[in-house]
Amino acid sequence: MALTEQPTDNDLRFIRKTLDLANSAAAKGIHPFAAILVDEKGEELMSQVNAYLPHQDMTGHAERVLMTRASQTWRPLEMAKFTMYVSAEPCCMCAGAAYWAGLGRLVYGVSEHRLKQMTGNHPENPTLDLPCRQVFASGQREVAVIGPVLEDEAAEVHEASGAIRDSEEIDMNASRVTVVVDSRYGTTLALAKAIVDGARSEGAEVRLCRVEIVEPEFSVDTRRQDFMAAQAEYRDLPRACAADLEWANGILWGSPTRYGLMSTPLRAFIDEVAPLWRQGALIGKVGAAFTSTGGMHSGNEMTLLSLLLPFMQHGMVLAGVPHSVPELVHTTKGGSPYGASAVTGFDGTRGVDSNELAIARALGARVARLARWAEPEPASVELAAASGP
């Protein structure tokens, strides 16, 4: 059964957030559809963009994939309390997925009827003209439906992106790599930029992000010119979030060493994305690490190992640097089979040498290649725990 309500201010906020996500997808060559799942307290639980690429999955609609993921995590009694926000009205397949998952409430942007007028009989999106309310009305669960909401704004997303891009215009094998960095004097940032260059050399789409800036600083001289210059560049980077990890099929993170461990801000970010662990959202993706230390024996490789451990908890595939990389054999400073690294001296003034940069580029390129072949396999950790012995 389908119930109709009026949109709230919160509904408008989340629909606009969904449209922003669809716009971001379109900018990356992905069909401009997105969905967000929100609990009864107004907390965002997970998001999803269209998943037609890279495998040309005709059933990879954002809503269907999101409902499959959600159903692996929450039972219908819980799902009945949740709202799914979608940039476009769900087709009958997606509405059916929402019904069977037990979704209680749906808010959508542009209607299926108007979308069909815009896209026509596109081979990758031969849009149906079947209202989702009609699908829900045929069932035995109540589903509240609100929409169309902000339909003109939602329609603009498709008009601005050319509605649907042909897959022939897109590299079907392009990998998506997210690099998350914490940096003080700019050493780990220099490694991160070299990693980005390496990944892009393999045709990967790359996001370079930073973690939260924590002040005051106790381990650096904030009055130094190199610190101030590095921080000016660092602060301009976008703040990393869980969506950056969900988007990627290859993830690298790195920070300066702190007693052989990662930095506190990076550790806080890893704690922040713990919901992805419960969802199993990163299982099967590729992970790698980088760091910088004052001395060769001041936690260089130990820090890399500590950075890799969370990837293993997430069920990811680890990537390192093979000794077939010539610079790893010849380096007299940083660089390790366990990841990219730099040795900068205890005052942080030695900088990053050509071997260390080359190793970082090699690692970025390798993660991009492996991520292209990787098959993410998201599966709910919570559901596994609830399954009993």
Side-chain angles (χ1 to χ4, degrees):
M1 293 178 284
L3 305 177
T4 300
E5 302 176 7
Q6 293 301 311
T8 65
D9 289 343
N10 213 36
D11 291 334
L12 298 179
R13 180 170 69 89
F14 274 110
I15 278 291
R16 285 198 168 98
K17 189 170 183 180
T18 306
L19 299 181
D20 287 342
L21 191 59
N23 265 321
S24 296
K28 298 177 178 66
I30 300 169
H31 293 343
F33 299 91
I36 296 174
L37 186 65
V38 175
D39 69 13
E40 67 275 20
K41 298 176 183 177
E43 297 292 328
E44 182 177 330
L45 299 173
M46 55 176 66
S47 61
Q48 180 67 49
V49 296
N50 184 274
Y52 173 74
L53 298 175
H55 303 297
Q56 295 182 296
D57 180 3
M58 295 295 289
T59 68
H61 296 193
E63 311 96 298
R64 198 280 301 163
V65 177
L66 183 64
M67 288 295 93
T68 297
R69 292 171 54 203
S71 186
Q72 294 171 347
T73 305
W74 296 285
R75 298 296 82 204
L77 284 176
E78 296 173 287
M79 289 287 295
K81 305 172 188 175
F82 299 164
T83 300
M84 178 168 64
Y85 295 90
V86 291
S87 56
E89 181 178 5
C91 69
C92 58
M93 174 185 70
C94 297
Y99 174 81
W100 285 110
L103 183 72
R105 192 167 178 269
L106 172 75
V107 183
Y108 68 85
V110 65
S111 69
E112 186 90 326
H113 178 73
R114 186 165 175 181
L115 182 66
K116 183 180 179 182
Q117 292 177 329
M118 289 190 292
T119 62
N121 188 22
H122 193 284
E124 293 173 14
N125 189 39
T127 302
L128 294 161
D129 190 357
L130 177 63
C132 66
R133 286 181 175 86
Q134 187 173 334
V135 177
F136 293 130
S138 303
Q140 302 176 72
R141 289 190 181 121
E142 292 185 351
V143 182
V145 180
I146 301 92
V149 175
L150 302 176
E151 186 168 29
D152 289 342
E153 291 182 35
E156 285 176 7
V157 173
H158 297 275
E159 291 166 352
S161 65
I164 299 289
R165 286 184 60 187
D166 290 331
S167 62
E168 287 77 11
E169 300 175 15
I170 302 164
D171 182 356
M172 302 296 291
N173 294 316
S175 52
R176 300 179 302 279
V177 176
T178 290
V179 182
V180 181
V181 61
D182 187 18
S183 189
R184 298 297 179 275
Y185 293 117
T187 302
T188 49
L189 181 55
L191 291 175
K193 291 191 292 184
I195 287 167
V196 168
D197 289 343
R200 285 178 175 158
S201 74
E202 292 290 332
E205 297 178 50
V206 186
R207 293 182 183 180
L208 175 60
C209 315
R210 63 166 174 82
V211 295
E212 190 65 71
I213 296 169
V214 178
E215 295 175 321
E217 287 283 0
F218 297 106
S219 56
V220 297
D221 182 354
T222 58
R223 297 167 299 179
R224 278 175 41 172
Q225 290 298 316
D226 54 351
F227 173 81
M228 290 187 282
Q231 288 302 299
E233 181 179 4
Y234 179 70
R235 288 168 184 267
D236 282 342
L237 295 177
R239 163 72 155 84
C241 63
D244 294 313
L245 306 190
E246 290 186 279
W247 167 82
N249 46 21
I251 301 166
L252 300 98
W253 55 42
S255 80
T257 188
R258 292 295 181 265
Y259 306 107
L261 303 171
M262 70 184 76
S263 68
T264 297
L266 181 57
R267 186 164 63 247
F269 170 72
I270 294 172
D271 288 343
E272 176 188 316
V273 298
L276 298 182
W277 176 83
R278 291 194 294 272
Q279 298 161 21
L282 306 186
I283 296 174
K285 297 188 178 188
V286 180
F290 57 101
T291 190
S292 63
T293 60
M296 285 288 292
H297 306 291
S298 300
N300 198 284
E301 291 190 335
M302 183 64 72
T303 305
L304 290 172
L305 293 174
S306 78
L307 287 161
L308 293 172
L309 291 177
F311 289 134
M312 298 182 73
Q313 286 284 346
H314 277 281
M316 296 174 64
V317 180
L318 302 185
V321 183
H323 280 93
S324 55
V325 174
E327 291 82 2
L328 182 59
V329 177
H330 300 299
T331 183
T332 57
K333 287 175 62 192
S336 164
Y338 312 121
S341 65
V343 176
T344 63
F346 289 101
D347 59 359
T349 59
R350 294 182 65 185
V352 188
D353 70 20
S354 59
N355 283 334
E356 292 166 331
L357 290 173
I359 292 167
R361 283 191 291 271
L363 180 62
R366 188 162 191 249
V367 168
R369 288 194 300 273
L370 294 174
R372 187 183 305 142
W373 305 326
E375 289 283 352
E377 41 190 348
S380 170
V381 175
E382 290 183 338
L383 185 60
S387 64

